Amino acid sequence: MTRVFHRNPREAYPVAVRGEGAYLIDREGKRYLDASGGAAVSCLGHSDAAVVKAIQEQLARLPFAHTSFFTNEPMEALADALVAHAPAPLEKVYFVSGGSEAIEAALKLARQYFVEKGEPQRRYLIGRRQSYHGNTLGALAVGGNAWRRKQFEPLLVEATHVSPCYAYRGRHAGESDTAYGERLAAELDAEICRLGGDKVMAFVAETVVGATLGAVLPVAGYFKRVREVCDRHGVLLILDEVMCGMGRCGTLYAFEQEGVVPDLVAVAKGLGAGYQPIGATLVAKHIYDTIVSGSGFFQHGHTYLGHAAACAGALAVQRRLHDDGLLARVNPLGSLLEKKLRAALGNHPHVGDIRGRGLFWGVELVSDRASKAPFDPKLRVHARVKKEALKAGLMCYPMGGTLDGVQGDHVLLAPPFILEEAQLDELVSKLGTALEAVLKSAVAA
Ligand SMILES: Cc1ncc(COP(=O)(O)O)c(C=O)c1O
């Protein structure tokens, strides 16, 4: 009998005992190809010698020094590395221990910025429906996933939500990308006006939507229009790159491909790559300067922020990405993965959409391709795909509620940047096996 309060206490989990490159191995010796990096975390696979060595050496030298007393070398070096690759005006880094904490820090920075700037009336947050920004109360409030929010609603700070940029379902027939992006920006503009232009603090969005929609890209020009709307109203743009950032989409920051720079950006999963828990919020100069020249103090903080061993690990991850060419592998590998996915599943009667960028791909499952009708949620197609994939020795990240938090199923893929072509074939073949096993019976049901 386990004493652990597991994520899903009714589930019997295999015991993971070893990581070897792109594979996890359980106590029975079964190997699982990690095609989702857990939840888009393990971008370097599971046994990167350079990262392990950097953490071991740091632990031997200095595991931890509380940041109210000291700074530490790996934290300073990691901030330098992150800012060196970030566009102006992003020039400071606030370290935390994960994605939700990075979002919480961004929300509080936004609020404190406006208080210190003399605009204390700015208190509203706008997010997008179906978005996920973490499970702490602030992050959950700004997230728009109905199912995740429902029972905690009475505890959540006020936030409203506009439509996601989800072309497969949201773009009208005959509407161009440009027109769709403009329509969504107009919706954001209208929501800001409804709340009172000078009462809104920030708009929060994932640059590329991960877990809840399945690697959904913004249409070209969408974020430029969004940035214009935010600027017109003095509203901050907070981008959540906890999942899609740190090279997952082919550039260190996913927003680099959208022609905008946010005021605050949250990163986490690929920052530590699973070797240590770590997250960070990159902060624009105007926010930092306002707080430092005002109260001089960001009223926030956690015990483990800037943890020396975590920072040393993340710094080694950055070196592997930039100096050892792993970031440069993402786009070519991603193109190969796309080609193989489209060849294997592109004409599948229950695959409605294959979308993504870099090594971040989503496959949306439908009961009918022409009408895009989802499967009956009672069939729990996503949960069954996860189970069948594990049976076949594949970790992928299926999720339900793609349309509205209840209906819809997709599979998210986020394999490590170290994959070889043969493993891409293994991935696509095992995914096909899992889908076949589930979809045949789902259709018959
Ligand atoms: C986009 C996004 N933001 C925030 C989070 C929360 O991160 P964490 O689970 O590290 O708190 C996640 C986690 O899946 C995420 O995908």
Side-chain angles (χ1 to χ4, degrees):
M1 198 260 285
T2 179
R3 300 266 179 221
V4 177
F5 193 152
H6 281 287
R7 197 175 265 265
N8 182 347
R10 292 184 179 171
E11 196 77 30
Y13 294 96
V15 181
V17 291
R18 205 148 50 85
E20 211 177 86
Y23 296 87
L24 280 173
I25 298 151
D26 73 16
R27 200 159 52 187
E28 273 63 55
K30 182 167 175 170
R31 295 168 70 83
Y32 304 82
L33 176 63
D34 186 357
S36 59
V41 175
S42 304
C43 56
L44 303 186
H46 297 280
S47 53
D48 192 289
V51 180
V52 170
K53 183 165 178 274
I55 294 168
Q56 285 172 337
E57 287 178 356
Q58 185 60 45
L59 282 174
R61 215 170 26 245
L62 169 77
F64 170 75
H66 197 282
T67 47
S68 68
F69 298 88
F70 294 103
T71 185
N72 66 67
E73 289 169 345
M75 174 166 66
E76 295 290 342
L78 178 59
D80 287 346
L82 294 177
V83 170
H85 291 97
L90 294 169
E91 59 174 47
K92 297 288 175 184
V93 188
Y94 190 84
F95 287 109
V96 290
S97 301
S100 303
E101 283 187 13
I103 292 291
E104 294 291 334
L107 300 179
K108 279 191 162 180
L109 276 164
R111 171 65 188 162
Q112 194 174 328
Y113 166 70
F114 284 120
V115 170
E116 304 224 0
K117 202 168 171 264
E119 299 180 54
Q121 79 285 358
R122 287 199 188 259
R123 53 186 279 254
Y124 292 120
L125 292 164
I126 304 176
R128 299 191 298 185
R129 283 191 287 284
Q130 274 307 88
S131 57
Y132 177 60
H133 299 299
N135 269 330
T136 50
L137 293 175
L140 193 62
V142 80
N145 188 262
W147 171 77
R148 285 178 161 88
R149 291 171 55 93
K150 197 164 178 236
Q151 67 172 324
F152 301 107
E153 202 82 51
L155 308 184
L156 303 180
V157 296
E158 235 170 315
T160 60
H161 300 89
V162 293
S163 304
C165 186
Y166 180 17
Y168 175 62
R169 292 192 181 273
R171 187 172 50 197
H172 297 155
E175 190 176 34
S176 68
D177 278 354
T178 309
Y180 178 45
E182 275 169 6
R183 175 160 63 83
L184 294 174
E187 183 187 337
L188 174 62
D189 190 55
E191 181 59 8
I192 294 174
C193 293
R194 187 185 73 79
L195 292 165
D198 66 343
K199 294 201 176 64
V200 179
M201 227 161 55
F203 175 59
V204 185
E206 279 175 89
T207 315
V208 176
V209 185
T212 47
L213 287 185
V216 167
L217 303 174
V219 294
Y222 165 78
F223 273 112
K224 280 194 180 149
R225 300 288 87 77
V226 161
R227 181 76 263 189
E228 285 164 13
V229 169
C230 289
D231 288 346
R232 199 178 318 130
H233 294 283
V235 168
L236 296 178
L237 175 61
I238 300 176
L239 290 183
D240 179 348
E241 299 210 349
V242 166
M243 203 178 237
C244 64
M246 297 291 106
R248 175 62 52 203
C249 292
T251 45
L252 192 67
Y253 301 98
F255 65 75
E256 291 172 58
Q257 297 174 61
E258 302 308 321
V260 295
V261 183
D263 301 285
L264 293 153
V265 58
V267 294
K269 295 175 188 262
L271 176 62
Y275 288 85
Q276 289 283 285
I278 186 167
T281 309
L282 276 91
V283 183
K285 178 177 166 48
H286 44 276
I287 297 176
Y288 179 79
D289 287 349
T290 300
I291 292 175
V292 173
S293 65
S295 67
F297 167 69
F298 176 35
Q299 198 182 335
H300 192 57
H302 302 284
T303 300
Y304 286 128
L305 67 83
H307 191 282
C311 288
L315 182 61
V317 171
Q318 288 296 304
R319 290 188 175 139
R320 294 283 286 136
L321 292 181
H322 298 292
D323 304 345
D324 299 341
L326 287 174
L327 178 55
R329 299 189 86 228
V330 172
N331 280 330
L333 262 179
S335 303
L336 262 181
L337 175 59
E338 175 181 11
K339 214 177 283 169
K340 289 174 192 291
L341 281 173
R342 292 200 191 284
L345 301 172
N347 294 317
H348 194 290
H350 299 295
V351 171
D353 194 27
I354 298 174
R355 65 241 176 175
R357 182 177 282 167
L359 281 172
F360 202 35
W361 285 86
V363 177
E364 184 162 337
L365 305 174
V366 289
S367 73
D368 179 70
R369 258 171 93 108
S371 67
K372 303 182 182 174
F375 283 106
D376 182 343
K378 285 198 207 89
L379 295 172
R380 296 187 55 73
V381 165
H382 59 98
R384 289 160 65 190
V385 170
K386 183 173 175 187
K387 205 165 255 177
E388 288 296 332
L390 279 175
K391 210 195 286 175
L394 179 75
M395 289 166 64
C396 57
Y397 194 7
M399 186 68 76
T402 320
L403 276 72
D404 53 9
V406 179
Q407 301 186 85
D409 301 272
H410 65 263
V411 180
L412 185 67
L413 299 169
F417 309 168
I418 56 163
L419 275 200
E420 298 300 335
E421 184 167 355
Q423 292 164 328
L424 288 179
D425 291 326
E426 182 184 345
L427 184 169
V428 174
S429 151
K430 287 181 167 173
L431 179 62
T433 305
L435 290 178
E436 260 343 279
V438 175
L439 295 179
K440 261 195 204 134
S441 60
V443 173

